[in-house]
């Protein structure tokens, strides 16, 4: 008897033009388009194995070995239902195909980064889920078509269906059929954009992005102006910057849009804060780092961006990463030695950090160890990968190998 | 020989609708109208003595005993020149009046609050300057007329020419002749609005409001929407709330506008932050305090507002101040016993603070002593006062009594 099983991994993406606000909360249709960079799966990824079998009694899902309920009408159930619907179309066209759409599925998923890191795993998680089911069902669907389904799991998940530089076009159709991800440029177009994730410790629980963004839609008197007048121009400009590999423009727009997203969060009633004093200090360091470069006739060398939490993501061309990591480590001493995946620092390591000549060290005060809990160095990466059977997360019995 | 001298004091004001942005930086004409509450001079005030004498060689000014240069064409020089111009009109109409406008002036000013408190002293300072000169010159000018002059010293100073609830109407004339303060309601109309100033410690030097607001005008893509569409509605609504003593609406608008001011500061490039983690925590406490009240069928009990710095000002009806001070002290223990100018706590003092029943204590974490350096309890107060000769700051020799 055949085993119908597939395993796929999907990447994390970090937005440069931020998604904040839904016009349809059920279909997850956004109030504005957004754009992100896909990060390398060698550093951060979700992996998912899906199996269809006539012996399974119901659809089941395990996340990091822990079974999660698939609530009827919920986001997980919607995604599974939609992928099965596409499988059914395949079966109807090709009567010889096995009727996998009629079988229940077992799905096991895991992230290679700790939940405590405060990195949103829903984007890579839903992208991996949809990718593994699409591989299981051998769907003839493009990444954009699959992004329509991943979007209904978690909005920003749609952007993780592509590598490189990805736009989520908001679309205009009430049924959401044109609210999908497209590739602006592949990883290979501009491969030397690196990302440094600064994992920031936070004492407070932030407002969830799902509830936070709708509170902004309901109460901010600035959001509609952002949606109608600011984002469309920025989307156009940042796509152009990517196509001509203009880091200066890319960085300016990325920082401005991060700031504006947090501005409309603050314009919410009651206000929403995601950045804390550590986040603010990292901004001050990057602003000063860029100021020194510009004063010396150079260009912007780094761009910060913040999602719905205090973590900073710093985008920069590869050649600047050594300076940037040295700068961050100087103000935010690390408990663990910096994991140096690109071998920037050699055997002696990053040490206690350094600033570039001319840097005004008074723009921020040094923080104690632990204020930035960790640093993850990554770069622009590729889209979902179908993995070999050796990497499957489900055992022969159809249950997760790492059952908690 | 006659001594021509007058002493006046003027109050601090704290805005509910924020002034942020100039359309004319020389005349200090704002991009939007604003509205403030004048605080009681018994707690916070600037006092100024002005003397005109034919023996004086030039205009001179001392602030807290330290001589300050009166730069030609600067803000101080402009204010002095404008008041002298009004005096000249008086002299031209009444030839018997002494020609004080032809004499140089000596001016001594002091604040009764430390500069380190981070409270803007320019508003009360310029209001006291203009008030003392107007008294010296026996000008037949209304507070609104004097506010035109104080505005050219420091924009928000124009609002300190009145007690109670004061609007600065932005006006439309290019010469600034209609950009002045008006009284929305006197102190006596709604005398039981109290204010608790939480003086917050800050490690960083903030961006000065003068340079910060112009950077916002130049770079924020949200500011124009605020100016054109949000503030005019809020000005109308908060004036109505004041006239009918509707604290609920007053508080909502005050908090929303504080948040929006900081939102446009954050939407500036590079971004401007004035609030820090302590400021954010005070917001969280007030939001929770109001939530408990509303959940129990009550109304909003307190409103926070933040100017261009981390200090919180909490407005509330008098009957809530005991709860509010207890709340703040619980999370922000004080090194010094709370100065209790209204005798709320009796002999046993505020102790270690308390929360109201039903309060979710997890909304903020307690901070160490010193995070809030001090608490100043005040209330809505009256406008500038002309003081007796006994309170003069200049000695018989025409120099400050407390010369540094």
């Amino acid at each position: 008897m055949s085993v119908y099983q597939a395993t796929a991994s999907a990447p994390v993406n970090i937005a440069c033009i931020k998604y904040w606000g839904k016009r349809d909360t059920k279909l997850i249709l956004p109030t504005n388009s957004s754009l992100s960079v896909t990060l390398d799966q060698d550093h951060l990824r979700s992996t998912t194995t899906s199996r269809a079998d006539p012996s399974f009694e119901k659809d089941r899902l395990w996340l990091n070995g822990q079974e999660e309920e698939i609530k009827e009408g919920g986001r997980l159930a919607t995604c599974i239902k939609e992928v099965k619907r596409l499988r059914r179309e395949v079966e109807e066209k090709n009567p010889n195909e096995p009727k996998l759409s009629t079988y229940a599925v077992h799905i096991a998923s895991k992230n290679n980064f700790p939940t405590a890191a405060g990195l949103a795993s829903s984007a890579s998680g839903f992208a991996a889920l949809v990718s593994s089911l699409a591989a299981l069902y051998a769907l003839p669907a493009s990444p954009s078509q699959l992004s329509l389904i991943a979007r209904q799991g978690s909005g920003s998940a749609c952007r993780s269906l592509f590598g490189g530089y990805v736009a989520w076009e908001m679309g205009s159709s009430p049924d959401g059929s044109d609210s999908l991800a497209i590739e602006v440029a592949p990883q290979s177009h501009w491969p030397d954009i690196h990302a440094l994730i600064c994992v920031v410790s936070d004492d407070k629980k932030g407002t969830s992005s799902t509830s936070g963004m709708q509170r902004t839609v309901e109460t901010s008197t600035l959001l509609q102006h952002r949606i109608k007048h600011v984002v469309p121009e920025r989307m156009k400009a940042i796509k152009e910057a990517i196509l001509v590999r203009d880091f200066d423009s890319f960085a300016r727009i990325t920082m401005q849009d991060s700031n504006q997203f947090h501005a409309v969060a603050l314009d919410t009633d009651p206000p929403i804060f995601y950045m804390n004093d550590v986040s603010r200090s990292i901004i001050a360091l990057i602003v000063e780092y860029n100021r020194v470069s510009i004063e010396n006739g150079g260009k912007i060398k780094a761009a910060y961006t913040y999602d719905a939490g205090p973590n900073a993501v710093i985008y920069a061309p590869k050649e600047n990463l050594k300076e940037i990591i040295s700068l961050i480590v100087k103000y935010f001493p690390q408990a663990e030695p910096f994991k140096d995946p690109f071998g920037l620092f050699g055997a002696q390591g990053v040490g206690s950090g350094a600033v570039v000549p001319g840097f005004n060290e008074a723009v921020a005060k040094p923080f104690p160890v632990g204020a930035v809990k960790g640093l993850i160095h990554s770069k622009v990466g590729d889209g979902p990968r179908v993995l070999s059977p050796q990497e499957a997360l489900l055992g022969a019995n159809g249950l997760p190998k790492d059952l908690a």
Side-chain angles (χ1 to χ4, degrees), chain A residues 237-238 240-241 246-256 300:
Chain A
I238 200 168
E240 285 169 10
D246 171 1
F247 183 74
D248 205 78
S249 299
F250 173 85
R252 270 183 216 280
I253 298 167
T254 294
M255 292 188 280
Q256 286 167 351
I300 290 182

Side-chain angles (χ1 to χ4, degrees), chain A residues 141-165:
Chain A
S142 70
S144 285
Q145 285 172 298
L146 295 179
S147 80
L148 289 165
I149 298 174
R151 189 202 74 221
Q152 297 176 66
S154 172
S156 57
C158 74
R159 296 189 309 244
S160 280
L161 265 299
F162 286 101
Y165 303 84

Side-chain angles (χ1 to χ4, degrees), chain A residues 150-206:
Chain A
R151 189 202 74 221
Q152 297 176 66
S154 172
S156 57
C158 74
R159 296 189 309 244
S160 280
L161 265 299
F162 286 101
Y165 303 84
V166 187
W168 173 10
E169 301 292 353
M170 64 180 289
S172 58
S173 171
D175 69 1
S177 56
D178 56 356
S179 185
L180 45 68
I182 60 159
E183 184 189 79
V184 174
Q187 174 196 16
S188 58
H189 168 75
W190 202 9
D192 282 344
I193 294 298
H194 281 229
L196 183 71
I197 304 173
C198 306
V199 181
V200 173
S201 184
D202 201 18
D203 292 318
K204 298 191 225 172
K205 255 198 208 140

Side-chain angles (χ1 to χ4, degrees), chain A residues 61 110 128 167 170 183 215 272 281 379 401:
Chain A
L61 180 141
K110 69 167 186 188
M170 64 180 289
E183 184 189 79
R215 225 164 75 207
I272 301 168
S281 292
K379 67 186 291 290
K401 290 176 179 172

